[in-house]
Amino acid sequence: MRDIGIGIIGGGYMGKAHAVAMSAVGPVFETALRPKLVMVCATSDASAERYRAAYGFARATSDWRTLVADPEVEAIVIASPQSTHREIAEAAFARGLPVFCEKPLGENAADSAAMVMAAEAANAINMTGFNYVRTPATQEAIRLVRSGALGRITWFRGEHTEDFLSDPDAPANWRTEGRASGTMGDLAPHPINCALALMGPIKSLMAQIETVHDTRPGPDGPVQVTNDDHAQMMLRFANGVMGQLYVSRTATGRKMGYGYEIHGTKGAIRFDQEDQNALHVYYADGPEAGRGFTKILTGPAHPNYAAFCQGPGHGTGYQDQIIIEARDFLHAIETNTNIFPTFRDGMEVNRVVEAAWTSSDQRQWVDL
Amino acid sequence: MRDIGIGIIGGGYMGKAHAVAMSAVGPVFETALRPKLVMVCATSDASAERYRAAYGFARATSDWRTLVADPEVEAIVIASPQSTHREIAEAAFARGLPVFCEKPLGENAADSAAMVMAAEAANAINMTGFNYVRTPATQEAIRLVRSGALGRITWFRGEHTEDFLSDPDAPANWRTEGRASGTMGDLAPHPINCALALMGPIKSLMAQIETVHDTRPGPDGPVQVTNDDHAQMMLRFANGVMGQLYVSRTATGRKMGYGYEIHGTKGAIRFDQEDQNALHVYYADGPEAGRGFTKILTGPAHPNYAAFCQGPGHGTGYQDQIIIEARDFLHAIETNTNIFPTFRDGMEVNRVVEAAWTSSDQRQWVDL
Amino acid sequence: MRDIGIGIIGGGYMGKAHAVAMSAVGPVFETALRPKLVMVCATSDASAERYRAAYGFARATSDWRTLVADPEVEAIVIASPQSTHREIAEAAFARGLPVFCEKPLGENAADSAAMVMAAEAANAINMTGFNYVRTPATQEAIRLVRSGALGRITWFRGEHTEDFLSDPDAPANWRTEGRASGTMGDLAPHPINCALALMGPIKSLMAQIETVHDTRPGPDGPVQVTNDDHAQMMLRFANGVMGQLYVSRTATGRKMGYGYEIHGTKGAIRFDQEDQNALHVYYADGPEAGRGFTKILTGPAHPNYAAFCQGPGHGTGYQDQIIIEARDFLHAIETNTNIFPTFRDGMEVNRVVEAAWTSSDQRQWVDL
Amino acid sequence: MRDIGIGIIGGGYMGKAHAVAMSAVGPVFETALRPKLVMVCATSDASAERYRAAYGFARATSDWRTLVADPEVEAIVIASPQSTHREIAEAAFARGLPVFCEKPLGENAADSAAMVMAAEAANAINMTGFNYVRTPATQEAIRLVRSGALGRITWFRGEHTEDFLSDPDAPANWRTEGRASGTMGDLAPHPINCALALMGPIKSLMAQIETVHDTRPGPDGPVQVTNDDHAQMMLRFANGVMGQLYVSRTATGRKMGYGYEIHGTKGAIRFDQEDQNALHVYYADGPEAGRGFTKILTGPAHPNYAAFCQGPGHGTGYQDQIIIEARDFLHAIETNTNIFPTFRDGMEVNRVVEAAWTSSDQRQWVDL
Ligand SMILES: NC(=O)C1=CN([C@@H]2O[C@H](COP(=O)(O)OP(=O)(O)OC[C@H]3O[C@@H](n4cnc5c(N)ncnc54)[C@H](O)[C@@H]3O)[C@@H](O)[C@H]2O)C=CC1
Ligand SMILES: NC(=O)C1=CN([C@@H]2O[C@H](COP(=O)(O)OP(=O)(O)OC[C@H]3O[C@@H](n4cnc5c(N)ncnc54)[C@H](O)[C@@H]3O)[C@@H](O)[C@H]2O)C=CC1
Ligand SMILES: NC(=O)C1=CN([C@@H]2O[C@H](COP(=O)(O)OP(=O)(O)OC[C@H]3O[C@@H](n4cnc5c(N)ncnc54)[C@H](O)[C@@H]3O)[C@@H](O)[C@H]2O)C=CC1
Ligand SMILES: NC(=O)C1=CN([C@@H]2O[C@H](COP(=O)(O)OP(=O)(O)OC[C@H]3O[C@@H](n4cnc5c(N)ncnc54)[C@H](O)[C@@H]3O)[C@@H](O)[C@H]2O)C=CC1
């Protein structure tokens, strides 16, 4: 067991989550590497200092280069906006540091490809922040699919739906500007990563991406919305299976609608993140009179659960996902072996997103 | 109140359901017209006689022309396979009789168009058997959407999923032969009709239709499956809204997965026929802390319910849908005014099905 | 197959349900005996005539003695208020007629005992109208419990909750007067019958019965409520198992909360009539990671379902329960063999109700 | 912001949970007091040292007196078995230290009373570990009940059901010995505390407590079980409301069945900890056609949520409850003001448990 100095860029939504995770992961998972919160970085000195004090970092900076260069920083977490990911990661890899980067990896596939190259050139540990794929329920789903328990898979439906912009009177802000902040840029990466984890690579797709509310109230009248509100796509996976995906930030009533449905010749799975501790599994065996979806509550018998609680059904939550990520990141560093999802996995997601844009723009199927 | 002589062609799954409905509809809805079961028709004299006795018809025949020509038969229910619908309907209209025809209306859009022409030429009452659209829950959903309670609609997802052919070892039979018996031919009409009822006409679509299990065991080895197991499509409705549809007979675990999800700017609806007496409605108003989907149990306050029971939550079932159809059919005859869904509505469904085939074959968007 | 003349006393809520059921049961279940609606009886000539026309009876009367004495009436359904049940049943048995009587059997245990004696003296078919116990789901639950699939039963919880009087401003009416119309008199019989069917006889009980809203608005100011709004009891079954029951008409939000929960050493069952086509079953076998409650949708593999629909998950409703009752009643007549629940079963329920009153009044355990 | 030295007695199930919570609470809630893990205590030096290293304490001891006396220890968490709680707490209060003690407070009401006296004599902060009452959903439920939003409350049902001993072949162990480890001793405190928080004091109760499996396999044959497997009770609250409670460790299929159901004249609430991020609320207003239970997903609009995640529906889990407890404990210390649930609240729970035993033994109602 030894300490490891952590630097986090960003102290907002995800910066906080990672700071908490790095504080909790040691006692939760009894990790070999024990994080020390060395430095936090934010856009201004004042905010950086505020985060330092709030989360318990030793030092603060408003210059990420300072953080990346700091000798006590031994691993980096990038939790700043997507536009900053590439440059920071490249600098960190130049120093040979392990990097955990929030999703989406790069602003686009080209950036992500460069980041993958940098990581691999440096032979440095790299990981992308697809937290939802790490819950006990989804890890169990992946295990079931791969085990063959559901037979040959015949269909996949994925979803990530929220409703934070379903109100047309919600004002324009940074979220309504620029592709990287749209639904395909911001939400789609999670369910795409999930689809890839459950089903393997996508061969071709046909997408429909649209802005539902073209303008939104601004301080001086209507402002143009420059990115997408929701998108749907039909998929053909490399294994031949047909599937589909829907992502939305205008899905009225949905708060955390990350879900999937998988049909196999011997069974099926249904999952909805809004009840993240339940996995619904059906097996097409035994007498008809006894068949149905079994609602399995996650517990110590499932992946990534026991460290949080010895009792089944007691449940894990959002913050716990980030703690699991921290465990995986530390374990990858300790063993010098990358763990899914890596930067390469993050790049695959960007590629799918771009193919979807092409398909939607051209109104035709696109191969990946 | 007066009697009306009913002739039913077919005594199988749906023939029975309509015979029961015609027996029950009078006391249930206190209809002005009271059905008398005059004659039933089936392929053989023996089976026709068996149905006669079982369901309480006065007479039986194995020749539908005899039934159509019978002077005591005043209205016709066609519950025989789709290949027979057109000819029977045309003959009935030639006599000026009202016709209720099971879905899908014709085997294809051309047949359906001819049937619509015949009906309209004869100025005869005509109705298509889309029973699921008549449940209290779905009628209430239609009412809510049309009332504007959900605001402007922004997305629609429809589904009809069952699993009676999810097992690849299920033997080949008539269901695995011919487009009319495939998923698009047999199941899709229901949710397409539902989509049209809730959302209005479809402007264009992009479909992916496939056979999951290409061969199935036959008596002498593997037999080729000549129709589709499942299909998905992306939709653009005439009102500009984006949507999607999925139909499957290989949806492992799903028994009666007729469902829909509708997003609006002010609210949302979710429905699943597997819990047919519940409608889930969300309103984006009031304090955030109190928002969520409300599970409304159908009751006397909803359409088509009170005649079955004075208590809310007591529930209606499949057979009750057919009784509601019978009420509507009798009422249309009594008032000489067609009631949704008519043959024209049935034909619209066929047109969508054919557009989907074209789209899937050509792998491109198709306008309707 | 032969006709059987039916006389129904009462044309209200349940009189109608039984008239419909007698019209539908023949084609639904292909019964050997085919009901003919001979005569209906109601309090006034006018209402009786209205019911006759509405439901399709041949004749009407306002004097149940006329109905009972009618030579064409071969079987009787009593669907009038509980105060009338005994006298009518006794008269019918005096003629040797089979009698189906709505729940509760008698107004009290003494009346019920007299009715049982009359039935048994006449050696006549007798049945009590506990319809909820006949649904496919509950019949399957009974089957599972008796089969030993759940192991030794260790606990039972029953419930019948509605909210038609949860509003304290709901006006006083006949329902708020007299024990027979209170919750113990009116609602409790259903779940008590269910408990007895699932668990066998009750040995002792401890009850708490109360009126939640002591007065209610009347035309001239507050009116005293003279019966109970809700009641709870702890039970000891003859088989040694501990259990409990709750009944209420002030259960805000509950519409048809007839439910039960059963723990066994090898499994468990949960059921709620508000989703009457689903039975939730748990088995304590197989790997922990796969355990959970399986939501089984009723279908042709379950009791009393296939006659309504060939497809699983298509669902039965309230009216179908009464059709199943009619089938059982006709079958009992045809085979001259009583079918559960008989008058004796109805009397057992009255005895439990009275024991509960004693217990609640004396605030102590009471043996049955 | 200043550091505060924490000593934890016990390093097992709950000792770990509190160690994690003390590590995470600072960044999560940006507390004014920042915990330093000074010392952990366990039964042996070896286990204490193991916990020290695993959870990141500075020092370890096998003698809780050493811990309590340590000058750097400024606050105490007792997470050792109930038999140890009193002595440790008294010693800590003797030093004037704030004490957080796991439930049940004392082994019995007398112990708890002594602990309350010691706390109050020392004028020291004291808190009991009823974590389930602190979830966002249950805090919101308490808020709703107290706000009058549900009108006058008319009924309460509480439950805490698990199934870790439902298998009769599960071997005898410490859990099957001694009242304090039985269901009333170990599980009942949680739902009793919940009932008191939601409904106020209990005036009288009638209980039935029993051992379902009298013997269990031991190393040398059957061993007598000396405590209770499940218990049910009927309650009368001081506010006049009737209620009930069920607790079980043999509730086959239930993993974390901490739940409640509350009826009021204007609304109702249903909650089940197995889906801890959902609260089901019904309001008896608006048109009948729109009424039903609303499934509210917890989010930043609810108590104790926002610090974990800015997104609604993202969910909290078991460990988060302990972090909330830590926040409350630190806040109580900082402001020198006790926060519910205190030792007095813990003692109230013991008193209810003892009244239940008396009632069950004497088979009669007991006043509190
Ligand atoms: N995995 C998940 O569930 C989520 C992931 N994200 C991702 O996390 C990343 C951060 O998003 P949020 O935390 O929501 O944003 P935020 O706006 O809450 O916080 C961004 C932080 O980055 C800092 N920052 C911005 N530009 C910077 C620069 N040039 N140098 C240093 N610091 C800079 C800001 O000061 C701020 O502290 C994004 O890539 C986003 O896509 C966001 C939310 C959820
Ligand atoms: N609305 C719904 O939920 C459903 C609708 N259907 C539709 O109902 C129709 C009938 O299907 P099922 O009842 O399932 O079929 P089935 O195979 O159970 O019964 C078909 C009946 O038609 C009779 N028949 C066949 N050819 C005939 C002919 N040339 N002349 C006279 N009688 C003939 C047969 O003797 C048999 O009685 C189809 O159009 C089907 O698509 C079927 C099932 C469900
Ligand atoms: N199984 C179930 O789910 C239900 C059972 N019931 C039971 O059914 C019975 C009838 O209740 P409802 O139908 O709700 O009552 P209702 O008030 O709707 O109808 C009662 C009928 O009985 C007739 N009636 C009253 N006194 C009569 C008399 N002396 N002679 C002849 N006819 C008379 C009335 O004219 C009326 O037609 C009761 O025993 C009730 O407990 C009621 C509702 C549900
Ligand atoms: N709030 C909740 O959800 C739960 C509360 N509990 C409560 O937490 C307490 C601890 O239970 P668990 O953690 O399950 O037990 P455990 O058996 O997992 O751990 C007990 C710990 O106490 C230590 N210990 C025992 N006797 C000691 C002594 N005399 N001096 C110092 N250390 C000693 C042991 O070494 C061990 O580390 C109990 O009061 C229990 O009722 C337990 C589980 C859940």
Side-chain angles (χ1 to χ4, degrees), chain B residues 9-15 41-44 47 51 62 64 78-82 84-85 88 102-104 129 131-132 174-175 186 190 318 322, chain C residues 310:
Chain B
I9 295 108
Y13 190 146
M14 291 315 297
C41 175
T43 33
S44 71
S47 66
Y51 295 139
S62 61
W64 60 261
I78 306 177
S80 46
Q82 17 270 52
T84 66
H85 293 182
I88 300 172
E102 262 307 327
K103 50 60 41 183
N131 44 293
Y132 295 112
W174 64 268
R175 288 178 172 286
D186 188 42
H190 280 303
Y318 179 80
I322 316 302
Chain C
Q310 293 172 26

Side-chain angles (χ1 to χ4, degrees), chain D residues 199-214:
Chain D
M199 300 292 296
I202 292 166
K203 203 177 76 186
S204 56
L205 61 78
M206 172 74 218
Q208 205 177 357
I209 309 176
E210 76 170 9
T211 305
V212 170
H213 303 301
D214 288 324

Side-chain angles (χ1 to χ4, degrees), chain B residues 53-354:
Chain B
Y55 310 147
F57 285 86
R59 286 173 287 132
T61 177
S62 61
D63 176 10
W64 60 261
R65 286 169 215 277
T66 303
L67 184 149
V68 169
D70 192 277
E72 287 183 29
V73 169
E74 297 168 89
I76 299 275
V77 173
I78 306 177
S80 46
Q82 17 270 52
S83 57
T84 66
H85 293 182
R86 177 176 170 179
E87 215 178 1
I88 300 172
E90 285 176 340
F93 290 137
R95 256 197 69 199
L97 293 179
V99 178
F100 177 99
C101 182
E102 262 307 327
K103 50 60 41 183
L105 184 57
E107 267 201 295
N108 49 52
D111 276 8
S112 289
M115 293 165 81
V116 169
M117 284 219 323
E120 297 183 354
N123 207 13
I125 289 300
N126 54 90
M127 186 170 280
T128 310
F130 297 117
N131 44 293
Y132 295 112
V133 90
R134 297 185 202 263
T135 57
T138 293
Q139 285 295 315
E140 175 71 3
I142 292 172
R143 198 188 66 71
L144 283 171
V145 168
R146 295 197 184 156
S147 73
L150 311 180
R152 178 159 74 80
I153 304 305
T154 59
W155 191 62
F156 170 87
R157 183 175 75 81
E159 174 185 6
H160 190 134
T161 47
E162 305 198 17
D163 71 354
F164 54 87
L165 284 174
S166 68
D167 181 356
D169 295 332
N173 63 14
W174 64 268
R175 288 178 172 286
T176 59
E177 273 171 54
R179 278 206 173 174
S181 301
T183 299
M184 284 304 294
D186 188 42
L187 293 185
H190 280 303
I192 291 172
N193 166 259
C194 181
L196 298 174
L198 284 159
M199 300 292 296
I202 292 166
K203 203 177 76 187
S204 57
L205 60 77
M206 172 74 219
Q208 205 179 357
I209 309 177
E210 77 170 9
T211 306
V212 170
H213 303 301
D214 288 322
T215 63
R216 288 184 176 274
D220 318 305
V223 170
Q224 199 65 28
V225 171
T226 62
N227 57 23
D228 52 310
D229 284 321
H230 69 163
Q232 57 193 14
M233 52 186 106
M234 304 198 301
L235 308 169
R236 178 69 66 186
F237 291 95
N239 59 12
V241 179
M242 188 170 102
Q244 59 174 244
L245 204 65
Y246 179 62
V247 285
S248 177
R249 64 188 187 188
T250 55
T252 314
R254 291 292 267 164
K255 305 305 172 187
M256 184 55 243
Y258 176 93
Y260 45 84
E261 205 173 330
I262 301 171
H263 301 154
T265 52
K266 294 184 181 165
I269 283 184
R270 310 187 87 183
F271 173 75
D272 184 344
Q273 184 73 19
E274 289 186 356
D275 186 7
Q276 69 189 284
N277 291 299
L279 191 67
H280 301 260
V281 182
Y282 179 97
Y283 290 113
D285 59 17
E288 277 285 337
R291 293 190 191 174
F293 277 92
T294 298
K295 181 180 181 178
I296 301 170
L297 295 177
T298 55
H302 302 111
N304 292 336
Y305 184 99
F308 292 101
C309 188
Q310 295 172 26
H314 288 54
T316 56
Y318 179 80
Q319 178 64 53
D320 298 330
Q321 300 161 24
I322 316 302
I323 297 174
I324 297 167
E325 282 188 333
R327 192 267 324 262
D328 285 349
F329 186 44
L330 296 173
H331 194 67
I333 296 170
E334 178 201 349
T335 60
N336 199 28
T337 311
N338 274 318
I339 294 178
F340 174 87
T342 63
F343 272 28
R344 199 163 270 279
D345 298 302
M347 181 185 68
E348 282 309 312
V349 166
N350 286 88
R351 288 186 57 231
V352 174
V353 169
E354 293 197 1

